[in-house]
Amino acid sequence: MSLLAVRDLAVARGGLRVVEGVSFSLDPGRALVLRGPNGIGKTTLLRTLAGLQPAVAGTVEAAPEAIAYAGHSDGLKPALTVTENLRFWAEIFGGHDIAAVLEAMNLRELAARPAHALSAGQKRRLGLARLMVTGRPVWLLDEPTVSLDRDSVALCAAMLRAHLGRGGAAVIATHIDLGMPEAETLDLGLHRATQARRESRPAGFNEAFG
Amino acid sequence: MSIWEYANPVKFMRISGAILPWVVAGAAICTVAGLVWGFLTPQDYKQGSTVKIIFLHVPAALMAINIWLMMLVTSLIWLVRRHHVSALAAKAAAPVGAVMTLIALITGAIWGQPMWGTWWEWDPRLTSFLILFLFYLGYMALWGAVENPDSAADLTGVLCLVGSVFALLSRYAVNFWNQGLHQGASLSLAPGERMAAVYRYPLYLTMLGFFLLFLALLLIRTRTEIRRRRLAALLARENLA
Amino acid sequence: MKALLIRDLRLATRAGGGFGLALAFFLIVCTLVPFGVGPEGGTLSRIAPGILWVGALLSCLLSLDRIFALDFEDGSLDLLATAPLPLEGAVAIKAFAHWLVTGLPLALSAPVFGLLLHLPGPAYPWLVASLVLGTPALSMLGAFGAAVTVGLRRGGLLLSLLVLPLYVPTLIFGAEAVRRGAAGADPVVPLVFLAAITLATLALAPFAAAAALRVNLR
């Protein structure tokens, strides 16, 4: 049974569809890497999968509350400590054990430090740790390796692998090689939307008046 | 054919272009004729010549409220049925409504000076119009501030709904706060309170004139908005390509 | 829900959270007014109910944009919108947290500011009662305004323009209750209206605010 099934999806940014005809399905233990030039719509596609914006066409099927989204910003409060930040998200998403996550992400010795005192890479790690405490199987990661050094990238890939090993799945938008040869790749450049006239409902003002 | 077909931008442009000259002509004739006729009416035994300001004040006040109602309806159509022209019509109507409210406020002040002896009285009706004017300002400011037209249409639509509830609430709250000096409704249906026919008929004509004037301005402004959106869409496509 | 409330309270009371700014602003307003209208006690006690209510309203306005702006910038709002908690609930909780750190302290400390402005004795209980009943509506309507303007540059000024007209009914009934209290009349009628407006706002505004937030997150 697949965790996430996408059929003929089209997404729009600024009232114009950017990507269309995207279909894939993710089984437990599988990862999908989204590739494509800047501005093709990787972030837009991920936000649509997360349910933050409506799809223009096509369907996204997933079990309810199966998807966890991690965008460019980590959702961390500088004034709160690492533990407080993590515990908050754990409680919002239904109370998971944060001690194991701190251990797995190598954050134990930073646990009492306020988030504003973390380096960029440490913040990113905390942001990824937040994904783990949601307890959701499908992770949507938008450029998870930004501002990470090589060791942290390796740690991130190891964490992803562990998640896949537990029967999870992930969709990752990234420019660099994560070192995960087992992941499938979807080149969004092949799904660039054509600006032909359509009979269907327009995606926004720019399409309605184009 | 369904009425919603007129919400298609192409069809709207064609039909509005065809009827626009007639509406403009009707607006000009009715407004000018009504105002001239109104100016030639005899002086009121109590209010003297100041009564004649009624031919500007009442139609403007009437349109100020009705334009907000029209914006409420078009916003609802946009939020429910997603017809883009409807959202643009609401946007186009707002400045006209704001100016109508301003005319009602200014003529009210000018009328109030000889009648009540002061330029501004915190009378419930005038105060409600001042509050309505603030709602128009907020609505227009929000359209101006949001760059993405899709977000702007949705946000202003929600604001229009919430604003309508609170404008109505303020109207009655203001009554509670101050009983007021304002005369009763000018067009009351109760006999006896009705104004004389000599004033009533030119008033009807100016009301029709102001309505047609609003319709003409609305059509012109909506057509401009549609053209502006078309231009923006072309630029957006070019940037994407 | 509890976790969100505790986090917002903790953020507000920690360094840089701005807790107490609203009270300080209220104090400044009540200090400046006598400089403007003169020190004569009779004049002050006559305008005190209005000044106290307008002052409380402006103090409340001061911190409204913080309800969502910070969470929007750091991505927390994206995560909250995908959390199991309904967004309407999150909005209501955040407005409640805003009330706990601004409206409630304002209401409880208002008698002290009433002394500064020579508020007549019988009005004090009604001042506190009207503020306790009215300020929740100010926070909730403010949350709606903050949700509408959350992604905008220079959103703060627009926020005031959108929210202040919505405050008119609350201000009218709140100040009227205090004025009647000061005059020794029965303030129950305006208080009932005030409570009705607050309850209706608390029931309906979260839906409008959540709808606006969803639009801004798209």
Side-chain angles (χ1 to χ4, degrees), chain B residues 19-35 100 205-220:
Chain B
I19 64 169
L20 186 57
W22 300 96
V23 178
V24 171
I29 292 169
C30 292
T31 310
V32 172
L35 288 178
M100 290 289 183
L205 193 59
T206 48
M207 278 159 55
L208 179 65
F210 267 60
F211 171 72
L212 289 174
L213 178 65
F214 163 64
L215 195 61
L217 290 172
L218 176 68
L219 288 178
I220 293 170

Side-chain angles (χ1 to χ4, degrees), chain A residues 57-103:
Chain A
T59 56
V60 178
E61 278 172 36
E65 305 195 348
I67 291 178
Y69 170 75
H72 292 294
S73 349
D74 294 319
L76 301 176
K77 291 295 171 191
L80 300 183
T81 66
V82 169
T83 315
E84 283 171 334
N85 267 306
L86 269 188
R87 186 175 298 136
F88 166 67
W89 290 113
E91 281 173 19
I92 287 288
F93 282 89
H96 295 270
D97 179 27
I98 64 168
V101 174
L102 285 172
E103 189 68 46

Side-chain angles (χ1 to χ4, degrees), chain C residues 95-153:
Chain C
F96 181 53
H98 178 264
W99 179 72
L100 283 181
V101 296
T102 55
L104 188 61
L106 283 177
L108 296 180
S109 58
V112 181
F113 301 106
L115 285 177
L116 288 179
L117 295 173
H118 296 264
L119 186 71
Y124 283 89
W126 304 114
L127 176 66
V128 177
S130 68
L131 283 172
V132 166
L133 285 176
T135 44
L138 301 186
S139 288
M140 194 60 244
L141 289 172
F144 167 70
V148 168
T149 55
V150 71
L152 300 176
R153 277 174 281 119

